[in-house]
Amino acid sequence: MRKNERYSPVPGTDKPVEIIDIKGIEDIGYVQQDSIILNSLTPEENTRCRHGLYFQDGQRRVDYVLTYPVKKPGSSRSRRHTSLLTDNAFARSLRRARGPAPAGSPGHGMDCHEDDKRSRREEFEGHLTDMGLELEKDEDTKTPGVGFVKIHAPWNILCREAEFMKLKMPTKKVYEVKNGSSVVEKINTFIHKVTEPLHPNVEENRTQSLKHLSYPFSREKQHLFDLSDRDSFFDSKTRSSIVFEVLKRTKCTKAKYSMGKLMKFAPNSSKLTLLKCSSLSCPPGITSLLGSGVYLAAYPLHDLMYEEWASYSVFYKYQPISLIRKYFGEKIGLYFAWLGVYTQMLIPASLVGVIVFLYGCVTVDDDIPSMEICDVRKNFTMCPLCDRVCSYWNLSSACATARASHLFDNPATVFFSIFMALWAAMFMEHWKRRQMRLNYEWDLTGFEEEEDHPRAEYEFRVLQKTLKKEHKSQKAEKEKLTCKDRFPAYMTNIVMMLLMIGVTFAIVFGVILYRISTKAALHMSSNPTTRSNVRLTVKATAAIINLVVILILDEVYGAVARWLTVLEVPKTDGSFEERLIFKTFILKFVNAFTPIIYIAFFRGRLGGRPGSYLYVFESYRMEECASGGCLMELCIQLSITMLGKQLIQNNLFEIGVPKLKKLIRYIKSKRASFQEEEREKRLQRYETDYFLEPYAGLTPEYMEMIIQFGFVTLFVASFPLAPLFALLNNIIEIRLDAKKFVAELRRPVAARAKDIGIWYNILRGVAKVAVIVNAFVISFTSDFIPRLVYQYMYSPDGSMHGFVNHTLSYFNVSHFQNGTQPIEPLYLGYQVEICRYKDYREPPWSSTPYEISKEFWTVLAVRLAFVIVFQNVVMWMSDIVDWLIPDIPKDISLQIHKEKILMVDLFMKEEQGKLHVLDSLVSAAAKEHGGRNSHSPLARSRSIPHTYSNNY
């Protein structure tokens, strides 16, 4: 190795630096230049360089990082590149001159594969430099086997791409922001002062009375923008999104050429052969290079943390939404804004739910049906709950269940269901207004989403189709994937979706069998304590089993939905995301709510009656509801599922899984120590971010909140405390998500968006379905309608006295089928001839014994009428709320109109200024021309034809 010293200025400065060239072409494979900068940086630049947020010169910011695998040579010598990668042409010519390794040499296949990846990297990076980006390589890191390419976008590239992307940037023009009328402004000022302690202590979140007029950036109109500080004009979020846009559209032509050449000269090659070499399997763009392993990862760097956002000590404060948007972009900013609005709106819903629950607690001692069930003197002898091993029992033994059911099954729950339906409508309207306000504040009012770049998989499939047709017809035409091409994938989607839903139903049926068999087994126990707590034991364990199955299937269904979406080969990332969301939502919604729907609407209605029960596999009798109805069991299932999903899946998994993956990724890097504090001190910022979990989109975050929204709205009539549990979870969820985004995930590329997309339509659909579901829960699951019918149609004195006796039918125990009679008929101490069961049927002494009575049809008619009336009235009220609340706040509408006027005035003044300057120049030139030419003989001679022509 030989050292040559020379001096060269750092780009963008006049500082000389000492550069050491390390010659090692034969063993490295290409010419490299290791730039070691000595004694040329200020202390501030040294700090920047040491933290890894800047290039080695300490001045150029790292806007993006690419990582790639590094195959270490036999020697322990490592290498670092800090040049602009302009010397690759000579290195490539040397490699071409050496030629490939012999076919029979050891490691020939692997070397070919690695050489191909290196060749594609060099070509891609060469194209990036041609696009104007500045690159700096670093392979001398404390992360073995990984090299880093740091990317910096200079000012002229930022301006060019900002104009191409039509980014709105603030101009020099400012105007005053008014909040409408003086009364509204005073109210807003008062509210802001009262809630001042709840606002985060950040500059971006303070109310601004002045706003910069924004306009799409243009290099021809740079004088409109305040460019006094070019370093901060484009923030880090904008810089990284600009670089990512360049990375997406930078082509790698070798892949396409090699693919076409192989298809042309080896048309009979198998698909495996085509996919074996990465350069043949992927179309151009950074996404395909990541997919084929040419690069390991691509990400922008974290450059700040949030004490006012990610800390649990500020759980009571509002989120710094403007700062989140400034750091992560509009798409993630909208998610956290939506989550904040949703959590805010849960406060009134929680208060009303707690009031409804307390109302049930206060009135439980005055509930006449509960008092009748608990009255031992009534002596209602009930029929056995199972065959043979179960005996007769007294209704008074179900006193605790009946009293507990009243807490959730009382007249206040009807009011709460109506309230929650209106709450959902107000939440949707409030969010639309908040979204429009954010669009105005973030300069998105005129933003229209452009069509995404085609996905790498789509382009590869199109390329395959084109090459096949070219081979057959020798004609090259522009192809695209049609419905015919996707038909096998569509059929696979339909079959697999139905199969997954069938799996869910099968598991629910399995849990039903577990409940039935366990109940029969526990009733045979000789322990009296076990026999007395059979119902509670079976309910709790079955609910826990359901929860575990739901958590497991959620992960399985997420993977299945992604696989099915990949099969469809959507053209763009937006289309891929929407299809994935739809499939995932359907599968996870069915998974979460199928057990609950069974308990609410089917359990106890399919079992038959004493003497004619329905059996499963001819041995298991279908289960029945408790004496107080199925609402209590529905509440238990809802609470365990909801709390379990929130605590285990949403919180423990959300933090635990990224930390575990981060630890595994770090262990795989073969470092001796992986203590967090020591690593942070040693590693550069781009190395630390490499160990973070890659950002996988917002779909999991939205999905868990949508499922929670379903728990809050769909069965709220049976569980009024659901909004309270959701509120407590979301207070923690906001800080968990914040901590995850800033400390556990790589910084995502900022994405622009003006709304939350398909999630809003899903929310509206869930809110509409919730009205129907709650109508059926009140009508068919609770005892609200039977009590109403009895009080106003059958009660002798218009009270609820005698209601329990009215709902119980009679059965003659001599009519039991053979082999189903209780083994211990004298369990209660006396001989039983008539037992009671909950149903509306004729008594055994009637002319039509055990037939459905007319009371049943009366109650059924009222139930159906209630569903129709409740659904239409509540939806009509929701539509009124929707109509009364405008989507766009009035003050925002006025400000948008004002902006348009100011923009027109700005350009009119600019044009007038240009005309004024032009007139002045013309006048000055004319005066100078006239004064100089009046004494010139040539001018006089030239003026003669002009005069002649005028006279003529």
Side-chain angles (χ1 to χ4, degrees), residues 295-430:
Y295 289 102
L296 299 176
Y299 51 89
L301 297 182
H302 284 292
D303 58 7
L304 57 94
M305 299 293 180
Y306 297 127
E307 293 296 333
E308 288 291 330
W309 183 41
S311 174
Y312 293 108
S313 60
V314 293
F315 72 92
Y316 61 91
K317 289 188 176 184
Y318 294 111
Q319 299 180 87
I321 296 299
S322 297
L323 193 60
I324 297 170
R325 173 254 177 178
K326 185 177 180 181
Y327 188 70
F328 289 110
E330 288 78 8
K331 193 170 186 178
I332 295 178
L334 282 172
Y335 163 71
F336 281 102
W338 175 84
L339 182 57
V341 170
Y342 172 48
T343 305
Q344 265 185 291
M345 290 293 292
L346 283 172
I347 296 175
S350 302
L351 292 175
V352 177
V354 170
I355 292 172
V356 169
F357 178 75
L358 293 177
Y359 171 82
C361 296
V362 172
T363 60
V364 67
D365 292 329
D366 300 326
D367 183 51
I368 295 175
S370 299
M371 293 168 61
E372 289 184 346
I373 291 174
C374 296
D375 191 354
V376 181
R377 295 169 299 177
K378 296 290 183 181
N379 196 26
F380 293 111
T381 302
M382 305 299 293
C383 296
L385 296 174
C386 62
D387 292 342
R388 294 181 60 79
V389 295
C390 300
S391 187
Y392 306 104
W393 56 286
N394 286 327
L395 185 60
S396 58
S397 63
C399 176
T401 304
R403 289 172 65 86
S405 296
H406 178 74
L407 302 179
F408 307 99
D409 187 5
N410 55 71
T413 57
V414 180
F415 158 76
F416 190 54
S417 298
I418 298 174
F419 170 82
M420 287 302 295
L422 298 178
W423 171 87
M426 293 191 68
F427 164 58
M428 304 300 292
E429 293 304 312
H430 180 44

Side-chain angles (χ1 to χ4, degrees), residues 854-874:
K854 62 179 181 179
E855 287 86 357
F856 172 84
W857 298 111
T858 303
V859 172
L860 179 61
V862 177
R863 279 173 165 167
L864 293 175
F866 177 83
V867 169
I868 295 172
V869 172
F870 182 89
Q871 172 188 339
N872 286 279
V873 169
V874 173

Side-chain angles (χ1 to χ4, degrees), residues 583-866:
K583 294 181 185 66
T584 308
F585 172 73
I586 293 295
L587 293 176
K588 291 193 174 185
F589 186 87
V590 171
N591 182 40
F593 290 102
T594 298
I596 299 170
I597 291 173
Y598 163 74
I599 294 175
F601 303 124
F602 297 100
R603 185 176 178 180
R605 292 173 175 81
L606 306 174
R609 61 168 180 84
S612 181
Y613 285 114
L614 177 66
Y615 290 89
V616 181
F617 302 135
E618 299 181 357
S619 56
Y620 295 106
R621 198 177 97 187
M622 286 296 292
E623 53 189 349
E624 304 173 29
C625 290
S627 55
C630 284
L631 202 67
M632 188 61 196
E633 297 182 27
L634 176 61
C635 179
I636 292 174
Q637 181 69 52
L638 267 170
S639 58
I640 292 179
T641 304
M642 181 178 179
L643 294 177
K645 278 181 67 67
Q646 291 183 164
L647 292 176
I648 299 174
Q649 189 178 46
N650 298 358
N651 294 336
L652 294 181
F653 285 4
E654 198 160 319
I655 291 297
V657 171
K659 282 187 175 294
L660 183 62
K661 289 182 178 179
K662 179 180 176 182
L663 181 62
I664 292 173
R665 189 180 295 109
Y666 185 68
I667 292 175
K668 283 183 177 180
S669 69
K670 301 177 182 178
R671 289 184 52 80
S673 172
F674 52 85
Q675 272 89 20
E676 181 73 21
E677 294 180 0
E678 294 180 7
R679 186 170 78 248
E680 293 292 339
K681 291 179 182 177
R682 290 195 298 265
L683 298 186
Q684 300 273 10
R685 177 78 258 178
Y686 51 86
E687 295 179 85
T688 304
D689 285 4
Y690 173 73
F691 291 104
L692 300 180
E693 180 70 9
Y695 170 71
L698 290 170
T699 299
E701 318 300 332
Y702 274 115
M703 189 63 67
E704 66 185 64
M705 289 295 106
I706 296 294
I707 298 297
Q708 184 199 84
F709 183 76
F711 282 117
V712 168
T713 56
L714 286 175
F715 294 92
V716 74
S718 61
F719 192 37
L721 294 180
L724 176 63
F725 289 134
L727 173 64
L728 296 176
N729 172 81
N730 288 5
I731 291 174
I732 302 173
E733 177 74 20
I734 290 175
R735 308 304 160 182
L736 275 177
D737 282 349
K739 185 177 180 63
K740 182 173 73 172
F741 270 82
V742 301
E744 303 297 335
L745 298 179
R746 292 175 189 160
R747 184 178 179 181
V749 179
R752 290 187 293 172
K754 63 187 304 184
D755 52 41
I756 60 175
I758 193 176
W759 297 110
Y760 182 80
N761 297 327
I762 293 177
L763 281 170
R764 285 189 67 88
V766 172
K768 296 293 184 184
V769 172
V771 176
I772 302 172
V773 170
N774 281 298
F776 276 94
V777 168
I778 294 170
S779 183
F780 286 89
T781 309
S782 74
D783 281 338
F784 176 74
I785 298 300
R787 292 184 184 190
L788 207 64
V789 170
Y790 175 78
Q791 184 174 3
Y792 291 102
M793 295 184 66
Y794 297 105
S795 176
D797 55 359
S799 68
M800 292 302 296
H801 290 286
F803 170 74
V804 175
N805 183 61
H806 177 75
T807 59
L808 297 177
S809 298
Y810 295 87
F811 179 74
N812 191 332
V813 298
S814 63
H815 295 164
F816 272 122
Q817 294 177 349
N818 292 332
T820 62
Q821 300 93 338
I823 298 175
E824 301 178 24
L826 300 178
Y827 178 75
L828 295 177
Y830 54 86
Q831 185 68 35
V832 177
E833 296 181 357
I834 297 293
C835 65
R836 310 293 296 273
Y837 61 99
K838 189 173 183 179
D839 205 347
Y840 290 101
R841 289 183 180 271
E842 297 291 342
W845 54 80
S846 169
S847 59
T848 56
Y850 309 124
E851 292 294 326
I852 294 175
S853 64
K854 62 179 181 179
E855 287 86 357
F856 172 84
W857 298 111
T858 303
V859 172
L860 179 61
V862 177
R863 279 173 165 167
L864 293 175
F866 177 83

Side-chain angles (χ1 to χ4, degrees), residues 217-266:
F217 187 82
S218 172
R219 287 172 289 179
E220 295 180 355
K221 295 183 172 59
Q222 289 193 28
H223 58 278
L224 296 178
F225 304 94
D226 184 8
L227 303 180
S228 56
D229 185 4
R230 292 189 172 187
D231 291 336
S232 62
F233 182 75
F234 294 107
D235 55 23
S236 62
K237 174 257 298 182
T238 307
R239 298 176 69 98
S240 63
S241 62
I242 286 175
V243 173
F244 182 67
E245 189 68 23
V246 176
L247 292 174
K248 280 198 302 183
R249 71 169 191 265
T250 300
K251 295 183 178 181
C252 185
T253 55
K254 280 189 179 180
K256 190 170 182 179
Y257 173 74
S258 301
M259 178 71 180
K261 187 168 66 174
L262 186 66
M263 288 289 290
K264 184 175 181 181
F265 291 104

Side-chain angles (χ1 to χ4, degrees), residues 869-911:
V869 172
F870 182 89
Q871 172 188 339
N872 286 279
V873 169
V874 173
M875 285 191 174
W876 177 70
M877 295 172 69
S878 300
D879 290 339
I880 290 178
V881 171
D882 192 357
W883 176 72
L884 288 176
I885 302 177
D887 294 344
I888 305 177
K890 187 176 180 180
D891 60 318
I892 296 299
S893 180
L894 293 174
Q895 296 295 344
I896 292 174
H897 182 66
K898 183 178 179 180
E899 274 197 355
K900 292 179 180 178
I901 296 175
L902 290 174
M903 187 62 68
V904 172
D905 291 344
L906 179 64
F907 281 103
M908 290 298 293
K909 289 179 180 178
E910 182 188 1
E911 292 298 324

